[in-house]
């Protein structure tokens, strides 16, 4: 990827959250069943609820997710939390309750975090003393 923008970063984070939701549950090792799988007849299946289809992510999607997990490491913990909550599709009202910020402040933290990630991925240096608004303009998220 040649040029990262905050919107592309947001899409990759959303994809990573989608992959994390669909990974299989971890199982404890050492526990297994010696019973064979039960083969249901048609008459048995008539009254059963259909099993939920689980779409497993592709290996490429898992690799992109693993790469994406490290992007929020150097951010302020509040910014990282807001970014991951938005990636999971959490509503702004719930995010504001969780982090204790107003909607406009939470949105600014989110844009700032996406901008910092985009600038890092583009290997662009910026002064840490810049205001959040200037960093957001520098990355082109406004």
């Amino acid at each position: 990827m040649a040029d990262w923008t905050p919107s592309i970063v947001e899409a990759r984070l959303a994809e990573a959250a989608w992959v994390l939701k669909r990974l299989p549950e971890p199982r404890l090792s050492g526990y297994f069943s010696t019973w064979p799988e039960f083969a249901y007849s048609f008459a048995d299946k008539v009254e059963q609820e259909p099993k939920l289809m689980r779409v497993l992510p592709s290996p490429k999607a898992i690799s992109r997710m693993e790469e994406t997990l490290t992007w929020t490491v150097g951010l302020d913990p509040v910014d990282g939390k807001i970014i991951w909550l938005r990636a999971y599709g959490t509503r702004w009202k719930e995010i504001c309750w969780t982090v204790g910020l107003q909607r406009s402040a939470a949105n600014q933290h989110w844009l700032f975090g996406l901008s910092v990630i985009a600038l890092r991925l583009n290997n662009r240096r910026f002064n840490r003393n810049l205001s959040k608004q200037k960093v957001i303009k520098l990355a082109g998220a406004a």
Side-chain angles (χ1 to χ4, degrees), residues 86-135:
R86 279 305 293 164
Y88 275 100
T90 308
R91 294 180 18 219
W92 277 111
K93 192 172 196 175
E94 295 173 29
I95 292 172
C96 293
W97 288 340
T98 304
V99 296
L101 294 172
Q102 290 183 352
R103 167 74 164 82
S104 58
N107 188 33
Q108 187 176 20
H109 280 269
W110 176 65
L111 286 173
F112 175 74
L114 292 177
S115 300
V116 168
I117 292 170
L119 289 171
R120 278 191 204 152
L121 291 174
N122 289 330
N123 292 325
R124 290 182 60 190
R125 296 182 184 264
F126 63 96
N127 189 353
R128 279 290 185 177
N129 295 330
L130 290 176
S131 68
K132 286 184 175 19
Q133 289 296 331
K134 288 187 180 180
V135 172

Side-chain angles (χ1 to χ4, degrees), residues 10 13-23 65 69 80-91 94-95 110:
E10 178 187 3
L13 287 165
E15 180 196 20
W18 180 85
V19 170
L20 281 171
K21 285 181 192 177
R22 278 151 183 79
L23 286 176
M65 180 264 309
L69 289 176
K81 189 170 199 167
I82 291 171
I83 285 175
W84 279 112
L85 286 171
R86 279 305 293 164
Y88 275 100
T90 308
R91 294 180 18 219
E94 295 173 29
I95 292 172
W110 176 65

Side-chain angles (χ1 to χ4, degrees), residues 38-107:
F38 188 78
Y40 292 103
S41 68
F42 177 75
D44 293 332
K45 290 182 180 181
V46 170
E47 293 295 322
Q48 289 185 355
E49 291 289 325
K51 288 185 179 179
L52 293 175
M53 295 284 296
R54 186 171 193 118
V55 178
L56 295 177
S58 67
K60 287 182 182 180
I62 293 172
S63 298
R64 286 191 303 269
M65 180 264 309
E66 289 172 345
E67 175 191 349
T68 306
L69 289 176
T70 61
W71 288 356
T72 57
V73 169
L75 294 177
D76 187 40
V78 173
D79 296 344
K81 189 170 199 167
I82 291 171
I83 285 175
W84 279 112
L85 286 171
R86 279 305 293 164
Y88 275 100
T90 308
R91 294 180 18 219
W92 277 111
K93 192 172 196 175
E94 295 173 29
I95 292 172
C96 293
W97 288 340
T98 304
V99 296
L101 294 172
Q102 290 183 352
R103 167 74 164 82
S104 58
N107 188 33

